[in-house]
Amino acid sequence: MNRYLGNKNTKEFHDLNNETIGCQIAKIKDRVYFSSPQQAKQAGYDPCAHCLSGSKR
Ligand SMILES: [Zn+2]
């Protein structure tokens, strides 16, 4: 399951199960999907500060 959405333009990725208004998911045009944060990071993407701040668990 591809829960994580990467923005090819900004090289940022989001957690779709935890998306916020600040993510502006609807504005992302060039999308790539990942099944885990590890996979996204290995592809060179940075976690979104809004939905993947890392403060939860
Ligand atoms: Zn986000």
Side-chain angles (χ1 to χ4, degrees):
M1 123 176 155
N2 292 322
R3 169 178 168 183
Y4 300 93
L5 169 63
N7 182 336
K8 288 184 182 178
N9 290 326
T10 63
K11 287 285 184 177
E12 204 171 51
F13 72 95
H14 303 268
D15 179 355
L16 294 179
N17 282 10
N18 194 30
E19 80 171 85
T20 70
I21 297 291
C23 293
Q24 300 188 303
I25 298 289
K27 290 190 177 180
I28 301 175
K29 289 176 182 171
D30 292 317
R31 304 176 179 217
V32 58
Y33 290 91
F34 302 102
S35 56
S36 71
Q38 289 78 15
Q39 188 187 29
K41 286 174 187 172
Q42 281 171 6
Y45 285 75
D46 292 318
C48 167
H50 297 286
C51 59
L52 286 160
S53 64
S55 60
K56 298 160 195 159
R57 286 198 287 182

